[in-house]
Amino acid sequence: MRVTAFLVGDSGVALWGLSSRERLTRLCRSLGLAVSLDPPEGTTSGDCLLLRCDYLFELRTIESLLEKPAFLLGDRATGDVAAAHVPGEVAASLYAWMRQQQSMDAATRTPEPASDSREQSWDGLVRGDTRDLGDYDATLRRSQPPMLERLEAGRAAALEDKLYGDAYKGVTDLVTKWLWPRPAKRLVRLCAAWNISPNQVTSVSFLLVIASGLLFYRGEFALGLLSGWIMTLLDTVDGKLARVRVQSSYLGHLFDHGIDLVHPPFWYLLWALGLTRVGESIDVGLVATLIFTGYIAGRFAELAFQKACGGSLFAWRPFDSWFRLVTARRNPCLIILTLALVLDAPVAGLWGVAVWTVSTSVVLWLRVLQALPARWRRGGRLPAWFESPDAARSHPRSHRVFSGTRGAYRA
């Protein structure tokens, strides 16, 4: 059944260059929802989603609401209903009540007490809060409640920081997690101000991929690494820009992840060829075979876990999340090459990449083989370790590191 989203009221607070109405419209349309700026009529058919424009939602909040019919999402601080997924016959009266709450002066009215999620109201509608929507985010591999924040002008900067921080994967490589959050945020802000789209950023990244490869082939390793590191920064920027500006698209996702998937082993091959061009002695065939075989094997290990066990291999146990920080993906391998070049050992750097690529892929396949018996015993998919309600208590350090990227939330 088609669900129509009705936007309740408005807000004068713009975040990352988007008004609240425009942000909610983009979020809802990305989920295939019809969007109306007018109030629902008494005869509205089908289910309705009511979203107050003076609240900030993320995509996951709305997705979770769509899975909970007859549900009122309350603000725990004020008791207000911030959003609702209700049958069409009650949408008009609930819209009017939410609009009335929105128009009240928050400084003078007496807030309703926050209600327990099991409280029944509106004759069959269940009232709850974000704790009832689930914490685990499979897309970004992290565990935290879906976003629901009151939009206030005095908190605009803090809310922009929160939107940016929430755009980050909890489990990723060490460069993306700890080096790029702040510089990438500055670039995201510039792109938002200049109306630069994520696909335009990805296109520049693609040109830098080609430039880096050509520089490696010519033996200009320092310039190639500089170009490569800029590319990795932009690879962070385009995804975060797409999320904070709600500009994700299927083709953009395919373009970005296609580049990420294909280019790394070709960079290393061109590095090897560049070494021969500057007179270094290296067995190009052997090193290329090790790198391509190891790289493909590692990717297939991740795919095998996903198909056989469900979810991400890097989210199965805390060890796997820690191992993702240094797994032989592009950024950790660039660290190896950069350190080797600083030490004037580009040949050793390439062999280091080859050995590390093979070694980490062996570890990934061992983890897949360890997971299969657990999958058969369980009789269903293997949940991520931070899906457990007591993950923060059982694995405090790991939960603190991987539940979010703390550096991304800081101004």
Side-chain angles (χ1 to χ4, degrees), residues 267-343:
W267 269 5
Y268 314 142
L269 173 60
L270 291 167
W271 184 288
L273 294 173
L275 288 172
T276 64
R277 287 172 60 88
V278 298
E280 297 284 358
S281 177
I282 188 168
D283 189 334
V284 175
L286 177 58
V287 76
T289 299
L290 289 173
I291 287 175
F292 274 85
T293 302
Y295 182 79
I296 294 170
R299 290 292 189 170
F300 270 101
E302 296 174 46
L303 181 62
F305 184 94
Q306 181 182 1
K307 296 298 183 182
C309 305
S312 168
L313 171 57
F314 297 116
W316 179 35
R317 293 286 185 265
F319 168 84
D320 304 299
S321 299
W322 285 102
F323 194 62
R324 176 62 180 90
L325 293 170
V326 295
T327 297
R329 295 283 189 88
R330 178 196 59 219
N331 290 355
C333 288
L334 281 183
I335 293 176
I336 294 173
L337 292 175
T338 302
L339 291 175
L341 193 64
V342 170
L343 298 173

Side-chain angles (χ1 to χ4, degrees), residues 35-73:
V35 180
S36 174
L37 302 180
D38 298 318
E41 300 176 354
T43 57
T44 301
S45 61
D47 279 5
C48 297
L49 201 65
L50 308 181
L51 302 168
R52 278 178 54 171
C53 291
D54 57 337
Y55 279 89
L56 177 63
F57 306 86
E58 64 180 347
L59 185 66
R60 186 163 62 104
T61 316
I62 300 174
E63 287 178 320
S64 299
L65 273 173
L66 290 174
E67 296 174 0
K68 294 183 75 70
F71 184 77
L72 306 179
L73 178 62

Side-chain angles (χ1 to χ4, degrees), residues 47-303:
D47 279 5
C48 297
L49 201 65
L50 308 181
L51 302 168
R52 278 178 54 171
C53 291
D54 57 337
Y55 279 89
L56 177 63
F57 306 86
E58 64 180 347
L59 185 66
R60 186 163 62 104
T61 316
I62 300 174
E63 287 178 320
S64 299
L65 273 173
L66 290 174
E67 296 174 0
K68 294 183 75 70
F71 184 77
L72 306 179
L73 178 62
D75 179 344
R76 293 172 61 191
T78 66
D80 281 3
V81 173
H85 179 187
V86 296
E89 55 266 25
V90 301
S93 58
L94 182 58
Y95 179 100
W97 184 57
M98 292 171 66
R99 189 72 183 91
Q100 183 180 17
Q101 283 188 323
Q102 185 183 39
S103 64
M104 289 179 180
D105 184 355
T108 59
R109 69 180 177 88
T110 302
E112 302 175 31
S115 300
D116 184 83
S117 63
R118 292 173 293 279
E119 178 186 338
Q120 299 291 321
S121 59
W122 289 85
D123 296 329
L125 302 183
V126 177
R127 182 167 181 160
D129 54 49
T130 53
R131 294 172 298 182
D132 300 284
L133 301 182
D135 290 350
Y136 180 55
D137 185 343
T139 301
L140 297 180
R141 297 198 294 266
R142 67 181 184 208
S143 180
Q144 60 185 36
M147 179 187 294
L148 179 66
E149 296 282 347
R150 190 68 176 262
L151 276 174
E152 299 170 349
R155 297 184 62 216
L159 292 175
E160 285 190 338
D161 287 340
K162 182 166 179 57
L163 273 175
Y164 178 79
D166 279 6
Y168 261 81
K169 289 182 178 179
V171 179
T172 185
D173 68 87
L174 74 170
V175 174
T176 302
K177 191 167 187 67
W178 288 314
L179 180 62
W180 285 154
R182 292 189 180 184
K185 182 187 286 187
R186 296 187 184 96
L187 290 177
V188 169
R189 196 172 298 283
L190 285 175
C191 290
W194 296 344
N195 204 28
I196 297 173
S197 72
N199 285 348
Q200 289 172 322
V201 177
T202 305
S203 297
V204 175
S205 295
F206 178 63
L207 294 177
L208 289 172
V209 166
I210 297 173
S212 297
L214 291 174
L215 288 166
F216 292 153
Y217 178 71
R218 293 174 56 180
E220 299 181 36
F221 303 118
L223 286 176
L225 285 171
L226 176 61
S227 172
W229 280 117
I230 295 173
M231 181 270 164
T232 71
L233 174 58
L234 294 183
D235 188 41
T236 293
V237 169
D238 58 7
K240 307 307 172 284
L241 179 64
R243 291 190 180 102
V244 301
R245 295 270 296 172
V246 198
Q247 289 181 296
S248 298
S249 67
Y250 174 76
L251 289 178
H253 180 82
L254 192 65
F255 184 29
D256 180 36
H257 287 272
I259 294 171
D260 292 344
L261 181 66
V262 171
H263 81 268
F266 289 97
W267 269 5
Y268 314 142
L269 173 60
L270 291 167
W271 184 288
L273 294 173
L275 288 172
T276 64
R277 287 172 60 88
V278 298
E280 297 284 358
S281 177
I282 188 168
D283 189 334
V284 175
L286 177 58
V287 76
T289 299
L290 289 173
I291 287 175
F292 274 85
T293 302
Y295 182 79
I296 294 170
R299 290 292 189 170
F300 270 101
E302 296 174 46
L303 181 62

Side-chain angles (χ1 to χ4, degrees), residues 366-387:
L366 288 174
R367 296 298 289 163
V368 172
L369 294 176
Q370 289 175 323
L372 290 177
R375 164 67 174 81
W376 293 328
R377 288 193 300 269
R378 184 178 177 84
R381 77 173 185 90
L382 294 180
W385 64 270
F386 34 70
E387 286 186 70

